[in-house]
Amino acid sequence: MRRAALRLCALGKGQLTPGRGLTQGPQNPKKQGIFHIHEVRDKLREIVGASTNWRDHVKAMEERKLLHSFLAKSQDELPPRRMKDSYIEVLLPLGSEPELREKYLTVQNTVRFGRILEDLDSLGVLTCYMHNKIHSAKMSPLSIVTALVDKIDMCKKSLSPEQDIKFSGHVSWVGKTSMEVKMQMFQLHGDEFCPVLDATFVMVARDSENKGPAFVNPLILESPEEEELFRQGELNKGRRIAFSSTSLLKMAPSAEERTTIHEMFLSTLDPKTISFRSRVLPPNAVWMENSKLKSLEICHPQERNIFNRIFGGFLMRKAYELGWATACSFGGSRPFVVAVDDIMFQKPVEVGSLLFLSSQVCFTQNNYIQVRVHSEVASLQEKEHTTTNVFHFTFMSEKEVPLVFPKTYGESMLYLDGQRHFNSMSGPATVRKDYLWNPRNTTFVEN
């Protein structure tokens, strides 16, 4: 087994986090220049000139056409930026502002992870706008959207709804039109903010009408540590390309994987008959087809983003909550999210669409449950369904869970895909002390 215990966040190479001076003690957001969680969406609307009134959205989008002249014709025209230029902190004061709690509260008196996904999505977009800020323009000509949730790792099984939470984020790698964003989440414990989550998102820049790609500012690397972060971003890009090229939708399983599936098939044959059709479940096992849950959402204007499409954070929250319910139903006890990875936003979801979510357990091991959630949309006028997202969640149950067995070849591919995602997670790690970043001087300090 590659993961014997809940993985701790590795605040090491590939992650930046504020130094001790920024994370300890009661903090005044106004003094420290920290955004309040409510200010994030307001700031994004201000940056792109979006209206809070749905009836005005067409006019607002028409006005954005005038920003085309501010778009660079090549990346060389844009001034390079430092990592600390995009660094921001956001406070979610669940402890000091109790009126916020209900929105984030679960019935088990923990914090709703789905709401955290929404906040991370907004933070990632705002971080990229900070990197690409144009001082001569009131509004940004860029339309920055989430392309991929590369990885989210949890450090704790659950979060307290009675203690303040703080997010931090910065751009760690840039290409021509895309950016990688590293984000961390901390929760107040005593008088110190302690790390509870690490996330890596990939964002893309589009033109002012969100119709084509746009160039982003290059990145200056000011220290060996930042060079290592950038190198890690390049490695992440290569890993994603390699993972995609070996997708089971493109290539046959490996010899080892074929052996795994064949052995599982043989273990389900009825020993009383000499037939490939007579199948029986081994002890403590469940057919994959019996591990499904589905839901339907109507995409109302309330859930729109600043570009009048459905907010990606909303899609992630709904997918996560269905995935959590699937893991809970399958395992028979309360599951805890361990990791989220490889969420590709393949197609935007229009306001007014019907959103179909289908969740399925595709792999299990000991007390871990790998859940895949497939997202499709259809308009009210057309019956054709289009895939928009595939979500991958790793949960840990309070007790050991049954094995899941595929019946068909298609289910066997889902099983192998789930196994690949599970095995791609890093092994148990400890919180490192030697790579904590202080954005005040762009040096790494020991905590």
Side-chain angles (χ1 to χ4, degrees), residues 14-16 83 86-88 120-132 144-152 168-174 178-184 198-204 219 229 233 236 240:
Q15 288 110 19
L16 298 177
M83 286 192 184
S86 62
Y87 180 85
I88 58 175
L120 287 172
D121 195 37
S122 296
L123 173 62
V125 175
L126 182 57
T127 300
C128 289
Y129 274 118
M130 293 295 109
H131 175 80
N132 294 279
I144 297 175
V145 297
T146 306
L148 172 73
V149 177
D150 186 63
K151 181 179 289 189
I152 301 175
S168 69
H170 68 94
V171 172
S172 57
W173 173 90
V174 298
S178 60
M179 296 156 282
E180 181 183 88
V181 180
K182 296 287 188 185
M183 292 176 282
Q184 287 83 42
D198 285 324
T200 303
F201 282 39
V202 177
M203 325 297 286
V204 294
L219 190 63
L229 286 173
N236 290 341
R240 290 190 292 266

Short mmCIF file of all heavy atoms in Angstrom, two decimals, residues 14-16 83 86-88 120-132 144-152 168-174 178-184 198-204 219 229 233 236 240:
data_model
loop_
_atom_site.label_atom_id
_atom_site.label_comp_id
_atom_site.label_asym_id
_atom_site.label_seq_id
_atom_site.Cartn_x
_atom_site.Cartn_y
_atom_site.Cartn_z
N GLY A 14 7.89 23.58 -3.78
CA GLY A 14 6.64 23.65 -4.51
C GLY A 14 5.57 24.40 -3.78
O GLY A 14 4.50 24.60 -4.30
N GLN A 15 5.82 24.84 -2.55
CA GLN A 15 4.85 25.64 -1.84
C GLN A 15 5.53 26.82 -1.17
O GLN A 15 6.61 26.70 -0.61
CB GLN A 15 4.12 24.82 -0.77
CG GLN A 15 3.15 23.81 -1.35
CD GLN A 15 3.63 22.40 -1.18
OE1 GLN A 15 4.49 22.14 -0.35
NE2 GLN A 15 3.11 21.50 -1.95
N LEU A 16 4.85 27.95 -1.21
CA LEU A 16 5.31 29.12 -0.48
C LEU A 16 4.26 29.43 0.57
O LEU A 16 3.08 29.27 0.36
CB LEU A 16 5.43 30.35 -1.41
CG LEU A 16 6.43 30.26 -2.55
CD1 LEU A 16 6.35 31.52 -3.38
CD2 LEU A 16 7.84 30.09 -2.02
N MET A 83 7.26 37.04 -7.89
CA MET A 83 6.29 36.20 -7.21
C MET A 83 5.54 36.97 -6.13
O MET A 83 4.34 36.79 -5.93
CB MET A 83 6.96 34.96 -6.61
CG MET A 83 7.35 33.91 -7.62
SD MET A 83 7.83 32.36 -6.84
CE MET A 83 8.32 31.42 -8.30
N SER A 86 2.20 39.08 -6.84
CA SER A 86 0.87 38.45 -6.90
C SER A 86 0.43 37.90 -5.55
O SER A 86 -0.70 37.41 -5.42
CB SER A 86 0.86 37.32 -7.93
OG SER A 86 1.78 36.29 -7.56
N TYR A 87 1.31 37.96 -4.54
CA TYR A 87 0.99 37.36 -3.25
C TYR A 87 -0.15 38.11 -2.55
O TYR A 87 -0.10 39.33 -2.38
CB TYR A 87 2.23 37.36 -2.35
CG TYR A 87 1.97 36.75 -1.00
CD1 TYR A 87 2.06 35.37 -0.81
CD2 TYR A 87 1.61 37.54 0.09
CE1 TYR A 87 1.82 34.80 0.43
CE2 TYR A 87 1.36 36.98 1.33
CZ TYR A 87 1.47 35.61 1.50
OH TYR A 87 1.20 35.05 2.72
N ILE A 88 -1.17 37.37 -2.15
CA ILE A 88 -2.29 37.96 -1.40
C ILE A 88 -2.68 37.03 -0.27
O ILE A 88 -2.43 35.83 -0.30
CB ILE A 88 -3.51 38.26 -2.29
CG1 ILE A 88 -4.00 36.99 -2.98
CG2 ILE A 88 -3.22 39.35 -3.30
CD1 ILE A 88 -5.30 37.20 -3.76
N LEU A 120 -11.31 28.95 -2.78
CA LEU A 120 -10.03 28.73 -3.45
C LEU A 120 -10.11 29.13 -4.92
O LEU A 120 -9.16 29.71 -5.47
CB LEU A 120 -9.63 27.26 -3.34
CG LEU A 120 -9.14 26.78 -1.97
CD1 LEU A 120 -8.97 25.26 -1.97
CD2 LEU A 120 -7.83 27.45 -1.58
N ASP A 121 -11.23 28.84 -5.57
CA ASP A 121 -11.38 29.19 -6.98
C ASP A 121 -11.33 30.70 -7.16
O ASP A 121 -10.65 31.22 -8.06
CB ASP A 121 -12.69 28.62 -7.51
CG ASP A 121 -12.75 28.61 -9.03
OD1 ASP A 121 -11.71 28.36 -9.67
OD2 ASP A 121 -13.83 28.87 -9.58
N SER A 122 -12.03 31.43 -6.31
CA SER A 122 -12.02 32.90 -6.40
C SER A 122 -10.63 33.45 -6.09
O SER A 122 -10.15 34.38 -6.76
CB SER A 122 -13.04 33.49 -5.42
OG SER A 122 -14.36 33.12 -5.77
N LEU A 123 -9.97 32.89 -5.07
CA LEU A 123 -8.64 33.35 -4.70
C LEU A 123 -7.64 33.13 -5.84
O LEU A 123 -6.81 33.99 -6.13
CB LEU A 123 -8.16 32.61 -3.45
CG LEU A 123 -6.71 32.84 -3.02
CD1 LEU A 123 -6.48 34.31 -2.67
CD2 LEU A 123 -6.34 31.95 -1.84
N GLY A 124 -7.74 31.98 -6.52
CA GLY A 124 -6.84 31.70 -7.62
C GLY A 124 -6.96 32.71 -8.75
O GLY A 124 -5.96 33.17 -9.31
N VAL A 125 -8.19 33.08 -9.07
CA VAL A 125 -8.42 34.07 -10.13
C VAL A 125 -7.88 35.43 -9.72
O VAL A 125 -7.19 36.11 -10.49
CB VAL A 125 -9.92 34.15 -10.48
CG1 VAL A 125 -10.18 35.27 -11.49
CG2 VAL A 125 -10.41 32.82 -11.04
N LEU A 126 -8.18 35.85 -8.49
CA LEU A 126 -7.72 37.17 -8.03
C LEU A 126 -6.19 37.23 -7.99
O LEU A 126 -5.59 38.25 -8.36
CB LEU A 126 -8.29 37.46 -6.64
CG LEU A 126 -7.93 38.82 -6.04
CD1 LEU A 126 -8.36 39.96 -6.96
CD2 LEU A 126 -8.55 38.99 -4.65
N THR A 127 -5.55 36.15 -7.57
CA THR A 127 -4.08 36.11 -7.54
C THR A 127 -3.50 36.36 -8.93
O THR A 127 -2.53 37.11 -9.09
CB THR A 127 -3.61 34.73 -7.02
OG1 THR A 127 -4.11 34.52 -5.69
CG2 THR A 127 -2.10 34.64 -7.01
N CYS A 128 -4.10 35.76 -9.94
CA CYS A 128 -3.60 35.94 -11.31
C CYS A 128 -3.84 37.36 -11.82
O CYS A 128 -3.02 37.90 -12.57
CB CYS A 128 -4.27 34.92 -12.24
SG CYS A 128 -3.70 33.24 -11.96
N TYR A 129 -4.94 37.97 -11.40
CA TYR A 129 -5.17 39.37 -11.78
C TYR A 129 -4.14 40.28 -11.12
O TYR A 129 -3.72 41.29 -11.71
CB TYR A 129 -6.58 39.81 -11.43
CG TYR A 129 -7.60 39.49 -12.50
CD1 TYR A 129 -8.66 38.63 -12.25
CD2 TYR A 129 -7.49 40.05 -13.77
CE1 TYR A 129 -9.58 38.32 -13.24
CE2 TYR A 129 -8.41 39.76 -14.77
CZ TYR A 129 -9.46 38.89 -14.50
OH TYR A 129 -10.37 38.59 -15.48
N MET A 130 -3.71 39.95 -9.91
CA MET A 130 -2.66 40.73 -9.25
C MET A 130 -1.35 40.63 -10.05
O MET A 130 -0.62 41.61 -10.19
CB MET A 130 -2.44 40.22 -7.83
CG MET A 130 -3.59 40.44 -6.87
SD MET A 130 -3.94 42.19 -6.53
CE MET A 130 -5.49 42.39 -7.41
N HIS A 131 -1.07 39.44 -10.57
CA HIS A 131 0.15 39.24 -11.36
C HIS A 131 0.11 40.04 -12.65
O HIS A 131 1.15 40.53 -13.12
CB HIS A 131 0.32 37.75 -11.67
CG HIS A 131 1.47 37.44 -12.57
ND1 HIS A 131 2.77 37.37 -12.12
CD2 HIS A 131 1.52 37.20 -13.92
CE1 HIS A 131 3.57 37.10 -13.15
NE2 HIS A 131 2.85 36.99 -14.24
N ASN A 132 -1.06 40.17 -13.25
CA ASN A 132 -1.20 40.81 -14.56
C ASN A 132 -1.80 42.21 -14.48
O ASN A 132 -2.35 42.70 -15.47
CB ASN A 132 -2.08 39.94 -15.47
CG ASN A 132 -1.44 38.60 -15.80
OD1 ASN A 132 -0.60 38.51 -16.67
ND2 ASN A 132 -1.84 37.56 -15.08
N ILE A 144 -9.62 35.90 -16.97
CA ILE A 144 -8.86 34.80 -16.37
C ILE A 144 -9.82 33.78 -15.78
O ILE A 144 -10.69 34.11 -14.98
CB ILE A 144 -7.89 35.33 -15.30
CG1 ILE A 144 -6.86 36.26 -15.95
CG2 ILE A 144 -7.20 34.18 -14.57
CD1 ILE A 144 -5.93 36.93 -14.97
N VAL A 145 -9.65 32.54 -16.21
CA VAL A 145 -10.55 31.47 -15.78
C VAL A 145 -9.75 30.25 -15.31
O VAL A 145 -8.59 30.09 -15.69
CB VAL A 145 -11.52 31.04 -16.91
CG1 VAL A 145 -12.44 32.19 -17.29
CG2 VAL A 145 -10.74 30.56 -18.14
N THR A 146 -10.38 29.42 -14.51
CA THR A 146 -9.74 28.21 -14.01
C THR A 146 -9.74 27.14 -15.10
O THR A 146 -10.79 26.80 -15.63
CB THR A 146 -10.47 27.67 -12.77
OG1 THR A 146 -10.55 28.71 -11.79
CG2 THR A 146 -9.72 26.48 -12.17
N ALA A 147 -8.56 26.63 -15.42
CA ALA A 147 -8.45 25.56 -16.41
C ALA A 147 -8.38 24.19 -15.76
O ALA A 147 -8.91 23.21 -16.29
CB ALA A 147 -7.22 25.78 -17.30
N LEU A 148 -7.71 24.14 -14.60
CA LEU A 148 -7.44 22.83 -14.00
C LEU A 148 -7.17 22.99 -12.51
O LEU A 148 -6.46 23.90 -12.09
CB LEU A 148 -6.21 22.20 -14.66
CG LEU A 148 -5.64 20.93 -14.05
CD1 LEU A 148 -6.54 19.75 -14.34
CD2 LEU A 148 -4.23 20.66 -14.57
N VAL A 149 -7.78 22.10 -11.73
CA VAL A 149 -7.36 21.93 -10.34
C VAL A 149 -6.38 20.76 -10.35
O VAL A 149 -6.77 19.61 -10.48
CB VAL A 149 -8.55 21.63 -9.41
CG1 VAL A 149 -8.07 21.39 -7.98
CG2 VAL A 149 -9.56 22.78 -9.45
N ASP A 150 -5.10 21.09 -10.25
CA ASP A 150 -4.06 20.06 -10.36
C ASP A 150 -4.05 19.16 -9.13
O ASP A 150 -4.00 17.94 -9.24
CB ASP A 150 -2.70 20.72 -10.55
CG ASP A 150 -1.61 19.71 -10.82
OD1 ASP A 150 -1.69 19.03 -11.85
OD2 ASP A 150 -0.68 19.60 -10.01
N LYS A 151 -4.10 19.79 -7.95
CA LYS A 151 -4.05 18.99 -6.73
C LYS A 151 -4.47 19.83 -5.54
O LYS A 151 -4.12 21.00 -5.44
CB LYS A 151 -2.64 18.44 -6.51
CG LYS A 151 -2.48 17.57 -5.26
CD LYS A 151 -1.06 17.05 -5.13
CE LYS A 151 -0.75 16.00 -6.18
NZ LYS A 151 0.56 15.33 -5.93
N ILE A 152 -5.21 19.21 -4.63
CA ILE A 152 -5.51 19.79 -3.32
C ILE A 152 -5.24 18.70 -2.29
O ILE A 152 -5.80 17.61 -2.38
CB ILE A 152 -6.97 20.27 -3.20
CG1 ILE A 152 -7.29 21.34 -4.25
CG2 ILE A 152 -7.23 20.82 -1.79
CD1 ILE A 152 -8.75 21.77 -4.26
N SER A 168 -3.68 32.04 1.61
CA SER A 168 -2.64 32.81 0.93
C SER A 168 -2.41 32.19 -0.44
O SER A 168 -2.66 30.99 -0.64
CB SER A 168 -1.33 32.82 1.73
OG SER A 168 -0.74 31.53 1.75
N GLY A 169 -1.97 33.01 -1.39
CA GLY A 169 -1.75 32.50 -2.73
C GLY A 169 -0.80 33.38 -3.51
O GLY A 169 -0.65 34.58 -3.23
N HIS A 170 -0.14 32.79 -4.49
CA HIS A 170 0.75 33.55 -5.38
C HIS A 170 0.95 32.75 -6.66
O HIS A 170 0.78 31.52 -6.69
CB HIS A 170 2.10 33.80 -4.71
CG HIS A 170 2.92 32.56 -4.52
ND1 HIS A 170 3.87 32.14 -5.42
CD2 HIS A 170 2.88 31.62 -3.56
CE1 HIS A 170 4.41 31.01 -5.00
NE2 HIS A 170 3.82 30.66 -3.88
N VAL A 171 1.32 33.43 -7.72
CA VAL A 171 1.67 32.78 -8.99
C VAL A 171 3.06 32.18 -8.85
O VAL A 171 4.00 32.85 -8.43
CB VAL A 171 1.63 33.78 -10.15
CG1 VAL A 171 2.18 33.16 -11.43
CG2 VAL A 171 0.19 34.27 -10.38
N SER A 172 3.20 30.90 -9.19
CA SER A 172 4.48 30.21 -9.02
C SER A 172 5.13 29.79 -10.34
O SER A 172 6.29 29.40 -10.37
CB SER A 172 4.29 28.95 -8.16
OG SER A 172 3.32 28.09 -8.74
N TRP A 173 4.36 29.86 -11.43
CA TRP A 173 4.88 29.49 -12.75
C TRP A 173 4.01 30.15 -13.80
O TRP A 173 2.79 30.32 -13.60
CB TRP A 173 4.84 27.97 -12.93
CG TRP A 173 5.20 27.48 -14.31
CD1 TRP A 173 6.43 27.16 -14.77
CD2 TRP A 173 4.30 27.29 -15.42
NE1 TRP A 173 6.37 26.78 -16.10
CE2 TRP A 173 5.07 26.85 -16.52
CE3 TRP A 173 2.92 27.45 -15.58
CZ2 TRP A 173 4.50 26.57 -17.76
CZ3 TRP A 173 2.35 27.18 -16.82
CH2 TRP A 173 3.15 26.73 -17.89
N VAL A 174 4.61 30.57 -14.91
CA VAL A 174 3.83 31.13 -16.02
C VAL A 174 4.32 30.54 -17.34
O VAL A 174 5.51 30.23 -17.50
CB VAL A 174 3.91 32.67 -16.10
CG1 VAL A 174 3.35 33.32 -14.85
CG2 VAL A 174 5.33 33.15 -16.33
N SER A 178 -0.82 30.87 -19.73
CA SER A 178 -1.32 30.15 -18.56
C SER A 178 -0.43 30.42 -17.35
O SER A 178 0.72 30.83 -17.49
CB SER A 178 -1.39 28.65 -18.84
OG SER A 178 -0.11 28.14 -19.17
N MET A 179 -0.99 30.17 -16.18
CA MET A 179 -0.29 30.42 -14.92
C MET A 179 -0.61 29.31 -13.93
O MET A 179 -1.74 28.83 -13.89
CB MET A 179 -0.71 31.77 -14.31
CG MET A 179 -0.37 32.98 -15.14
SD MET A 179 -1.46 34.38 -14.77
CE MET A 179 -2.96 33.90 -15.68
N GLU A 180 0.38 28.94 -13.13
CA GLU A 180 0.14 28.02 -12.02
C GLU A 180 0.08 28.84 -10.73
O GLU A 180 0.92 29.71 -10.51
CB GLU A 180 1.25 26.98 -11.93
CG GLU A 180 1.06 25.97 -10.82
CD GLU A 180 2.22 24.99 -10.70
OE1 GLU A 180 3.19 25.32 -9.97
OE2 GLU A 180 2.16 23.91 -11.34
N VAL A 181 -0.90 28.55 -9.90
CA VAL A 181 -1.10 29.27 -8.65
C VAL A 181 -0.96 28.30 -7.49
O VAL A 181 -1.61 27.25 -7.47
CB VAL A 181 -2.49 29.96 -8.59
CG1 VAL A 181 -2.67 30.70 -7.27
CG2 VAL A 181 -2.66 30.91 -9.76
N LYS A 182 -0.11 28.65 -6.53
CA LYS A 182 0.02 27.89 -5.30
C LYS A 182 -0.79 28.60 -4.22
O LYS A 182 -0.65 29.80 -4.01
CB LYS A 182 1.48 27.81 -4.84
CG LYS A 182 2.40 27.05 -5.78
CD LYS A 182 2.16 25.56 -5.70
CE LYS A 182 3.22 24.81 -6.50
NZ LYS A 182 2.95 23.37 -6.54
N MET A 183 -1.61 27.83 -3.52
CA MET A 183 -2.42 28.40 -2.44
C MET A 183 -2.32 27.53 -1.20
O MET A 183 -2.20 26.31 -1.30
CB MET A 183 -3.89 28.53 -2.88
CG MET A 183 -4.11 29.56 -3.97
SD MET A 183 -5.82 29.61 -4.56
CE MET A 183 -5.85 28.16 -5.62
N GLN A 184 -2.35 28.18 -0.05
CA GLN A 184 -2.39 27.47 1.22
C GLN A 184 -3.54 27.99 2.06
O GLN A 184 -3.99 29.12 1.88
CB GLN A 184 -1.08 27.64 2.00
CG GLN A 184 0.10 26.87 1.46
CD GLN A 184 0.79 27.57 0.33
OE1 GLN A 184 0.99 28.77 0.36
NE2 GLN A 184 1.13 26.84 -0.71
N ASP A 198 -3.06 22.52 1.15
CA ASP A 198 -2.23 23.02 0.04
C ASP A 198 -2.98 22.78 -1.26
O ASP A 198 -3.61 21.73 -1.44
CB ASP A 198 -0.90 22.27 -0.05
CG ASP A 198 0.08 22.68 1.02
OD1 ASP A 198 0.09 23.88 1.36
OD2 ASP A 198 0.81 21.82 1.52
N ALA A 199 -2.92 23.74 -2.18
CA ALA A 199 -3.63 23.60 -3.45
C ALA A 199 -2.78 24.14 -4.59
O ALA A 199 -2.05 25.13 -4.42
CB ALA A 199 -4.97 24.33 -3.40
N THR A 200 -2.89 23.50 -5.74
CA THR A 200 -2.25 23.97 -6.97
C THR A 200 -3.32 24.04 -8.06
O THR A 200 -3.92 23.02 -8.39
CB THR A 200 -1.12 23.02 -7.40
OG1 THR A 200 -0.16 22.90 -6.36
CG2 THR A 200 -0.43 23.56 -8.65
N PHE A 201 -3.55 25.24 -8.58
CA PHE A 201 -4.50 25.46 -9.66
C PHE A 201 -3.74 25.94 -10.90
O PHE A 201 -2.69 26.56 -10.79
CB PHE A 201 -5.53 26.53 -9.30
CG PHE A 201 -6.65 26.07 -8.38
CD1 PHE A 201 -6.41 25.20 -7.33
CD2 PHE A 201 -7.94 26.54 -8.55
CE1 PHE A 201 -7.42 24.79 -6.48
CE2 PHE A 201 -8.97 26.14 -7.72
CZ PHE A 201 -8.71 25.27 -6.67
N VAL A 202 -4.30 25.67 -12.07
CA VAL A 202 -3.79 26.22 -13.32
C VAL A 202 -4.87 27.11 -13.91
O VAL A 202 -6.01 26.69 -14.10
CB VAL A 202 -3.41 25.10 -14.32
CG1 VAL A 202 -2.94 25.72 -15.64
CG2 VAL A 202 -2.31 24.21 -13.75
N MET A 203 -4.50 28.36 -14.17
CA MET A 203 -5.43 29.34 -14.72
C MET A 203 -4.98 29.73 -16.13
O MET A 203 -3.78 29.70 -16.44
CB MET A 203 -5.50 30.60 -13.84
CG MET A 203 -5.36 30.34 -12.35
SD MET A 203 -6.67 29.32 -11.64
CE MET A 203 -8.03 30.49 -11.63
N VAL A 204 -5.92 30.11 -16.97
CA VAL A 204 -5.59 30.57 -18.31
C VAL A 204 -6.16 31.96 -18.53
O VAL A 204 -7.19 32.33 -17.98
CB VAL A 204 -6.13 29.60 -19.40
CG1 VAL A 204 -5.42 28.27 -19.33
CG2 VAL A 204 -7.63 29.42 -19.30
N LEU A 219 7.53 36.00 -15.57
CA LEU A 219 7.84 35.94 -14.15
C LEU A 219 9.34 36.08 -13.93
O LEU A 219 10.15 35.40 -14.57
CB LEU A 219 7.34 34.61 -13.58
CG LEU A 219 7.36 34.42 -12.06
CD1 LEU A 219 6.43 35.42 -11.38
CD2 LEU A 219 6.93 32.99 -11.71
N LEU A 229 10.77 26.53 -7.43
CA LEU A 229 9.31 26.55 -7.58
C LEU A 229 8.92 26.57 -9.06
O LEU A 229 8.00 25.86 -9.48
CB LEU A 229 8.72 27.79 -6.89
CG LEU A 229 8.67 27.76 -5.36
CD1 LEU A 229 8.23 29.11 -4.83
CD2 LEU A 229 7.73 26.67 -4.89
N GLY A 233 6.94 23.81 -11.41
CA GLY A 233 5.82 24.10 -12.30
C GLY A 233 6.01 23.47 -13.67
O GLY A 233 5.06 22.95 -14.26
N ASN A 236 5.40 19.82 -13.28
CA ASN A 236 3.95 19.56 -13.18
C ASN A 236 3.31 19.56 -14.56
O ASN A 236 2.46 18.71 -14.86
CB ASN A 236 3.28 20.62 -12.31
CG ASN A 236 3.64 20.49 -10.84
OD1 ASN A 236 4.09 19.43 -10.40
ND2 ASN A 236 3.45 21.54 -10.08
N ARG A 240 1.49 16.32 -16.30
CA ARG A 240 0.11 16.34 -16.80
C ARG A 240 0.04 15.86 -18.25
O ARG A 240 -0.88 15.13 -18.63
CB ARG A 240 -0.48 17.75 -16.67
CG ARG A 240 -0.75 18.17 -15.24
CD ARG A 240 -1.54 19.46 -15.17
NE ARG A 240 -0.79 20.61 -15.64
CZ ARG A 240 -0.10 21.42 -14.85
NH1 ARG A 240 -0.04 21.18 -13.55
NH2 ARG A 240 0.54 22.47 -15.33
#
